[in-house]
Amino acid sequence: MTLSLRLPIAAGTLKTYRLHESKPFAAPTSAPRFDRIAYSAAHVVADPFTANDPWLCASLDWDATIAYRQRLWSLGLGVAEAMDTAQRGMGLDWPTSLELIRRSLDAAKDVPGALVASGCGTDHLAFDATTTVDDVIRAYEEQMEAIERLGGKLIVMASRALAKVAAGPADYERVYDRILMQSKQPVILHWLGDMFDPALAGYWGSHDVDTAMATALGVIAANPGKVDGIKISLLDKSKEIAMRRRLPAAGGPGHPGVRMYTGDDFDYAELIAGDGVGAASNHRHSDALLGIFDAIAPAASAALTALASGDRARFDAILAPTVPLSRHVFQAPARFYKTGIVFLAWINGHQSHFTMVGGQQSGRSLLHFAEAFRLADAAGLVEQPELAVVRMKHLLALHGV
């Protein structure tokens, strides 16, 4: 029997929607094998039973949060921990982030081959009191030391404080050279565009993307062997491809070329597949570090498995219907994409409630959720249709529908 429910549409009325009768993606029976490195930035599950002010204090359901990471690892995906998808800078503070990193690293020890890379930033600084580049360096060093003490690999996150105090490209070069010089293992750099965080406008010392890119490439070139890759989140595939083709083809001794980790949640399928252009392998395609992989993990795993086996057509067929969903989830203002990610985890039964750190469940409209529901269904990503319908009806009722 086909499941259906009445969902709101833009005309201000309700329209019956009938779910597709597609089968969910099968869970892998053995460890998936990919020929791309693929990280999913992972969301956190709030604890709705803590008596606190949810706009000011972060309280997590640790069991559910770690269980979601175990799911990602089981699908062959790495976990990019304590990143913006985990609401870093939008409700998740540094002490809670460090505890999250510790728990993820501990859990990963029980999963052979599990990848974890963790966000290292400056978000514990009092923003208004930060006045010098030295303040920023000390803040990065503090988080760097804490994560590396746990055995963690670093993702050096873009810094709001650095964007505030830097006078130009030279200040960025000074900060990143200092951090990379000290890192115990190659790091992933993260260039987050201002569509995700307006406070990062003009990062790398310029509002011109090409000029900023030249500064970032200079930092990488000056530190061979210290940069595993760079994730750029500019939602502009042409800029990503242009930068990818300029990355060093080799690093230090035994270190392969610097990787481009796509952070483009609009055109990830095309960028991961690659165009085959370039003398060096790292110029021909992007690896992945994506927030949308949290929501489309089963499809991402199946597609990457197909690509590794040489079946480009199946890769394309699996990911093509996920792209409209991702573009919807990441529509402007893009920084509220986390709300859609958690909504999809909730309707699919991966958490018992739709409550977020910082009260961010209010970040999108009912119409947005209705369309996300339809697009997830079209992509074969409604994993438990009966449960999803029940939960969507609960959300509708909460809104008086």
Side-chain angles (χ1 to χ4, degrees), residues 225-270:
K226 287 290 191 172
V227 181
D228 167 35
I230 182 168
K231 166 187 163 77
I232 67 171
S233 303
L234 302 180
L235 301 182
D236 184 336
K237 66 179 180 181
S238 66
K239 298 299 184 185
E240 176 172 321
I241 293 170
M243 188 174 190
R244 185 174 78 199
R245 290 181 181 154
R246 296 171 64 187
L247 290 172
H255 181 58
V258 174
R259 299 176 184 274
M260 172 59 72
Y261 286 96
T262 186
D264 189 331
D265 298 281
F266 284 4
D267 294 298
Y268 51 90
E270 175 184 347

Side-chain angles (χ1 to χ4, degrees), residues 151-293:
K153 175 186 177 77
L154 303 179
I155 302 172
V156 181
M157 301 173 69
S159 167
R160 292 173 178 169
L162 180 55
K164 173 191 173 186
V165 303
D171 284 336
Y172 286 87
E173 292 165 352
R174 178 186 167 203
V175 170
Y176 280 91
D177 285 348
R178 177 73 171 267
I179 298 307
L180 292 172
M181 178 180 65
Q182 299 177 73
S183 63
K184 293 182 178 179
Q185 58 178 308
V187 310
I188 299 173
L189 302 179
H190 187 196
W191 181 3
L192 188 67
D194 59 4
M195 69 289 297
F196 289 98
D197 187 343
L200 297 175
Y203 211 73
W204 300 109
S206 177
H207 289 273
D208 178 74
V209 173
D210 292 331
T211 302
M213 184 186 299
T215 300
L217 285 165
V219 167
I220 294 169
N223 294 275
K226 287 290 191 172
V227 181
D228 167 35
I230 182 168
K231 166 187 163 77
I232 67 171
S233 303
L234 302 180
L235 301 182
D236 184 336
K237 66 179 180 181
S238 66
K239 298 299 184 185
E240 176 172 321
I241 293 170
M243 188 174 190
R244 185 174 78 199
R245 290 181 181 154
R246 296 171 64 187
L247 290 172
H255 181 58
V258 174
R259 299 176 184 274
M260 172 59 72
Y261 286 96
T262 186
D264 189 331
D265 298 281
F266 284 4
D267 294 298
Y268 51 90
E270 175 184 347
L271 292 162
I272 293 168
D275 54 16
V277 176
S281 61
N282 64 319
H283 296 165
R284 299 174 197 150
H285 67 260
S286 297
D287 292 279
L289 199 167
L290 289 160
I292 195 57
F293 272 12

Side-chain angles (χ1 to χ4, degrees), residues 16-40:
T16 298
Y17 178 76
R18 291 179 174 81
L19 279 72
H20 295 72
E21 295 183 358
S22 56
K23 293 183 179 179
F25 290 94
T29 55
S30 58
R33 296 181 180 274
F34 305 153
D35 60 1
R36 305 287 191 269
I37 295 179
Y39 286 96
S40 170

